[in-house]
Amino acid sequence: MSVPRRRRRLPDEVRAAAVRAVLSLAFTLVGVVVATLASYAGSGMLVPALMAMGLGVFGTMWCLLEILISRQIAAQRARVPGSAHPTTGGRPPSEPLAARPFPRADGSVYQQPHQSHRPAYQPPQPRPRIPAPRP
């Protein structure tokens, strides 16, 4: 039987974001319960409870997005070359890039942004009229 692998501890900013998400979700669920009970009772607390529930849904989504972002940031920090974990190391340095071509005499390799590769528009010239042969 294999020994279960220990899970690594989440970084502090990810754990803090997860705690905020759980608290926001609890706040939203309390708002749902209060709104449901206020609607059954016909109480005046319905509108504030619905507003609190809406804010709670917005806050919960915000916290979930914060968790995703903080996890990405923590993963990028862990992928530093020379880190202790073998799968978190960065890519080995690549070969140097090839030299860029020198600009040509006509300047076609490096052009300014306002310059175009196409020649300027020339309106079509009218064709000369050839008279029809007479019999």
Side-chain angles (χ1 to χ4, degrees):
M1 187 167 153
S2 65
V3 177
R5 199 170 61 136
R6 274 189 77 179
R7 290 177 53 136
R8 287 186 295 152
R9 182 177 170 176
L10 288 174
D12 290 339
E13 61 267 9
V14 179
R15 281 190 298 121
V19 168
R20 281 191 293 272
V22 169
L23 289 175
S24 180
L25 180 65
F27 175 71
T28 304
L29 291 176
V30 168
V32 168
V33 170
V34 170
T36 304
L37 293 176
S39 68
Y40 287 153
S43 173
M45 286 294 295
L46 180 62
V47 174
L50 286 176
M51 289 172 51
M53 185 178 64
L55 285 174
V57 168
F58 178 77
T60 302
M61 291 299 130
W62 185 279
C63 290
L64 291 176
L65 185 64
E66 182 185 8
I67 290 173
L68 290 175
I69 292 171
S70 60
R71 282 179 62 102
Q72 287 294 325
I73 291 172
Q76 286 178 359
R77 283 189 190 140
R79 266 188 244 126
V80 181
S83 63
H85 199 271
T87 60
T88 59
R91 293 182 184 161
S94 62
E95 295 295 320
L97 297 176
R100 291 187 176 197
F102 290 112
R104 296 184 187 155
D106 61 354
S108 63
V109 173
Y110 300 107
Q111 291 186 350
Q112 298 297 326
H114 63 276
Q115 291 178 337
S116 168
H117 293 287
R118 289 186 262 151
Y121 174 72
Q122 299 277 335
Q125 300 294 328
R127 293 185 179 177
R129 297 191 74 173
I130 301 175
R134 293 188 182 201

